[in-house]
Amino acid sequence: MRRTTLLVAAFAALSLLPAPAAAHPARTTDATYHNDAATPGADPFVLFDRPSGHYYAYSTEGADPGHHFAVYRSPDLATWEQLPGGALVAGQDGDWAHDWFWAPEVYHNPDTGLYFLFYAGRMNRGVAEHFRYADFEEPCKVGVAVSRSPAGPFRDIAEAPLDYYPYDPAYHDVNLIMDAEQKKPPATQEEGRTAPLGTYIPYIDPNVFFDADGRIYLYFSRNAYRNWVWDTDLGKYVEESNIYAVELTGDWWRDPTGRTMPAIAPAYRDSNRAPEDPPNVRKDGYVPVLAYGSDKQGWENAHVHDYAKSGGQKKDRRWAEGSTTIRTLDARGNPRYHLTYSANNYENEFYGVGYATATGPLGPWRKSPANPVLSQDPAQGLYSTGHGSIIGSPDGEQLYYVHHGRPSTTSSRALYTSRLHLGAELSIDASTSDEPLPSGVGPLGMRADERVLRPRAGGSATTTVRVTSARGGEFDLANPQNRVHAVLRPADAGTVVVRGDQVTVTTTGHRAARLTLTYQRRLADGGYRDVANTGPRHSAPVRVTIPVSGRR
C-alpha cells in the first residue's frame, strides 16, 4: 500500500491519478462489475477528471462517423457511457494525416484548465519532407490537440505533426534493396549491410510522462516499417517495432492559451546529423528504451514466421508498442520506474502485456522475468489483451489497467478493466467474473428529480433518477450493467415503466401510493442484484422512495 500511495502523490497534481479522498469511516459499496466486452474500444487511455468526478477513456475505435477517437466517461472505471461525436472532428482537425488515427492519450493541466490530446496518424502530404522518400509506406507521426473540456472536441494546436524528425543513422535501409512488395528481406546479414545507411523513423503510440522533477518525456513506438533487424537466433531478418523516448520542453504545458506546440528538448534536435549533411536537413535523436535483441523474451515471437505461414502475404514481425510509464518509490525512498508495453500483433489472440523497470526515466530498462503479466485466457473467453493505461481508484488506494481485449478470437476489440498490483513485482488480474468496484467509488448516492409524483390528468407522471459516485460522477443508467428496479405500493395503485433513468408511473385510481426505486447491478451470469452502501455497523440499500399523490 505504501508504494501505491507514493505513486498517487507523484501524479495527483497532473490528474493522471485521483488524489486520496477525505476518508469516509469505512463506508463503501458492495456493488460489483464484470468485463462484458460491451463497449467498443481499442488502445484506451484513461484520465481521471477531478472537477467532474468522472473517468474519461479515449479510444482508437468507437467514434461516431465524421470523428476520430471515441470518448467515453464513467464514474467507476467499469460502466462506460459514449459521448456523442469523438475527440477530433474529421476534416477540421488531424488533417496533416489521412488515416491510421491511433492511440489517443489526454493529459490535464489543472493550473491552466487545458486538456492535451496526443495521437498518431499516417501522413498524406509532405511525406518526402519528413521521411526523405515520397513513397515511404508507413509515414506515421504524432499530432497534438487541445481543449478546455475532457469531452472535447479538441483542436489541433498546429496543422502539422510534432516538429520532430527522429533519425537512425546506423540502420542499413534494406527496404531500398527489396522488391516492391517489401515483405521479403535479404537472406543474409551481409547482403543487408550493402543497403545505404540511415533512415527516418515513423512513430506511433505516444505516451507522455511527467516526472517528479518537472521534466517531461515522450515515449513512443518506432513503427516496425523500415526496421529490419537481423535475428542471430533465427538466422534471418525480422521487422521490429521498438520503444524509444525523447525529452520535451515544458513551454506548451505552461502556456495558458494552449497555442504552443510541444517541442523536443534542444539536446535532441539534430543530434544525429552528420558533418556532411546540408544545413537544412533535420536528423533528431532519441533514447532506445525497449528492443527485443537487448532483452530477449520468447513470448514476443508469435509472428516471426508469418511470411512462411501466410504464403508470403505477411511479414516476419515483432512488436513492442502501447507503452505506459509510471514512477514509484521503493522502501528506501529511491525512485523506481515501471513501463508496461504490448507485444505481438493486436489482431492476434497472442497479443499480451509485459513490463520493464528502471531507476531513471531513460533507463537502462530491464524486462520482468514474469512477463507476460496479461495475456489470453481461453477459460475466461479473453483474448488479444493489451495496449492499455494505468489509472488509480477514486481514493488512490488501488491501481487498474484499462485495456482492450476480445471475448473471442474473431470479435472486435472492447474495453476491459483489470486490477493491477504493484509491489515487488507488477501483476494484472484478468477477469470476466464479478469483481468489487474500485475503492472509493462508493458510497453511492441516489435521488429522483421529483420529490413527489403528481400524475397529470391523463394518469401518468415521470421523474428522472440519478445515481452518483462518492466523487460526484453520474452513472449511465442506460448501460445494461446498471438498472433501476421500481416497486409501487400498493401494487394495484398503477403501473411503473423504467427506461434508463426515466421512471413513469401511471395510476389506475385516485389513491395515493409510494414508489420505491432501488439501484441494481448486473452480474456476470446475467441476473441483477440490489446494491447497498456498507459501513462498519450496518448496510443500507441504495434506494429512494417517492410519494405518488392520488389523482383528483
Side-chain angles (χ1 to χ4, degrees):
M1 196 65 70
R2 169 179 165 80
R3 288 193 178 95
T4 300
T5 302
L6 291 169
L7 175 69
V8 171
F11 284 85
L14 300 178
S15 295
L16 296 179
L17 299 178
H24 291 283
R27 293 185 66 207
T28 183
T29 177
D30 65 359
T32 61
Y33 80 96
H34 65 280
N35 287 305
D36 60 1
T39 304
D43 315 325
F45 180 84
V46 177
L47 166 80
F48 182 75
D49 183 56
R50 193 170 298 113
S52 68
H54 280 106
Y55 290 93
Y56 283 81
Y58 305 88
S59 165
T60 293
E61 297 174 355
D64 290 340
H67 295 79
H68 303 302
F69 309 123
V71 181
Y72 300 98
R73 70 177 182 182
S74 169
D76 62 358
L77 278 179
T79 56
W80 298 99
E81 174 189 7
Q82 182 187 353
L83 302 184
L88 289 179
V89 178
Q92 174 180 289
D93 294 285
D95 284 357
W96 60 268
H98 74 286
D99 63 0
W100 290 8
F101 289 91
W102 293 340
E105 301 205 355
V106 173
Y107 307 91
H108 177 221
N109 186 337
D111 294 332
T112 65
L114 295 175
Y115 298 80
F116 294 90
L117 166 70
F118 284 69
Y119 64 94
R122 183 165 66 165
M123 301 185 69
N124 62 346
R125 62 179 183 270
V127 174
E129 172 191 341
H130 288 263
F131 295 95
R132 185 187 288 166
Y133 305 105
D135 60 349
F136 198 95
E137 185 180 347
E138 300 184 8
C140 297
K141 289 209 165 186
V142 167
V144 186
V146 67
S147 175
R148 291 199 173 273
S149 167
F154 291 81
R155 298 298 304 267
D156 278 334
I157 298 175
E159 294 182 6
L162 282 176
D163 183 29
Y164 181 39
Y165 295 74
Y167 185 81
D168 185 347
Y171 174 69
H172 288 276
D173 195 348
V174 300
N175 292 72
L176 298 178
I177 60 174
M178 291 167 61
D179 64 15
E181 290 189 353
Q182 301 282 288
K183 291 179 181 177
K184 187 175 182 180
T188 66
Q189 187 178 25
E190 289 71 25
E191 182 183 357
R193 285 176 174 170
T194 67
L197 276 172
T199 188
Y200 283 95
I201 297 172
Y203 63 103
I204 58 174
D205 295 356
N207 175 246
V208 180
F209 173 67
F210 300 82
D211 207 354
D213 61 2
R215 300 175 79 169
I216 305 171
Y217 300 89
L218 173 67
Y219 293 80
F220 58 90
S221 177
R222 175 177 182 163
N223 208 6
Y225 181 66
R226 261 184 161 85
N227 191 34
W228 290 98
V229 178
W230 182 260
D231 189 308
T232 55
D233 298 324
L234 300 177
K236 65 179 180 179
Y237 278 102
V238 175
E239 199 175 42
E240 285 189 11
S241 64
N242 310 131
I243 294 174
Y244 297 158
V246 65
E247 187 174 354
L248 300 178
T249 63
D251 295 345
W252 63 280
W253 184 249
R254 295 185 293 267
D255 180 3
T257 70
R259 297 174 182 171
T260 301
M261 192 71 169
I264 63 171
Y268 294 86
R269 185 183 175 103
D270 280 332
S271 63
N272 283 333
R273 277 174 50 85
E276 64 272 16
D277 286 330
N280 61 339
V281 171
R282 282 280 296 279
K283 292 182 178 179
D284 298 333
Y286 54 88
V287 175
V289 171
L290 285 187
Y292 176 83
S294 61
D295 201 353
K296 299 177 182 180
Q297 292 194 334
W299 71 279
E300 301 175 16
N301 285 326
H303 304 284
V304 296
H305 301 302
D306 276 6
Y307 184 83
K309 291 178 181 179
S310 67
Q313 297 303 303
K314 296 181 179 180
K315 301 178 182 182
D316 292 334
R317 273 188 164 183
R318 188 185 281 125
W319 284 265
E321 61 182 24
S323 66
T324 293
T325 300
I326 59 174
R327 175 183 183 270
T328 64
L329 300 178
D330 65 19
R332 298 182 177 180
N334 299 314
R336 190 179 188 213
Y337 297 80
H338 300 74
L339 180 144
T340 59
Y341 68 99
S342 294
N344 300 319
N345 191 320
Y346 78 93
E347 296 177 316
N348 188 275
E349 65 267 29
F350 295 107
Y351 197 58
V353 176
Y355 81 97
T357 58
T359 57
L362 298 179
W365 293 86
R366 294 299 298 175
K367 296 176 185 175
S368 168
N371 289 341
V373 292
L374 180 64
S375 59
Q376 67 167 335
D377 185 350
Q380 297 195 72
L382 183 59
Y383 304 89
S384 308
T385 54
H387 198 148
S389 60
I390 299 171
I391 189 69
S393 59
D395 62 5
E397 293 299 317
Q398 298 173 340
L399 292 174
Y400 285 82
Y401 188 68
V402 181
H403 57 95
H404 70 238
R406 307 175 195 264
S408 73
T409 56
T410 58
S411 301
S412 298
R413 290 179 287 181
L415 300 190
Y416 287 74
T417 299
S418 298
R419 181 76 186 276
L420 184 148
H421 302 276
L422 193 58
E425 297 290 343
L426 183 152
S427 63
I428 300 173
D429 296 338
S431 172
T432 56
S433 302
D434 296 313
E435 301 292 343
L437 284 188
S439 62
V441 170
L444 307 183
M446 185 176 187
R447 66 180 176 85
D449 284 0
E450 304 296 330
R451 295 185 177 181
V452 179
L453 282 181
R454 306 179 189 277
R456 300 186 300 272
S460 298
T462 299
T463 188
T464 299
V465 182
R466 305 179 194 280
V467 178
T468 54
S469 70
R471 289 294 188 100
E474 192 166 324
F475 287 79
D476 176 19
L477 297 179
N479 186 310
Q481 288 215 37
N482 303 310
R483 189 171 79 170
V484 174
H485 179 63
V487 176
L488 187 67
R489 290 189 176 90
D492 60 357
T495 60
V496 184
V497 175
V498 180
R499 292 187 176 92
D501 62 355
Q502 300 294 299
V503 180
T504 300
V505 174
T506 302
T507 56
T508 57
H510 298 280
R511 290 181 299 165
R514 296 182 70 80
L515 175 66
T516 299
L517 305 174
T518 304
Y519 176 54
Q520 298 182 329
R521 297 282 286 206
R522 190 175 67 180
L523 303 175
D525 64 8
Y528 282 87
R529 175 177 174 271
D530 291 353
V531 172
N533 288 327
T534 61
R537 297 181 181 177
H538 68 280
S539 64
V542 179
R543 65 172 47 142
V544 62
T545 299
I546 309 167
V548 180
S549 65
R551 285 187 291 154
R552 294 192 294 268

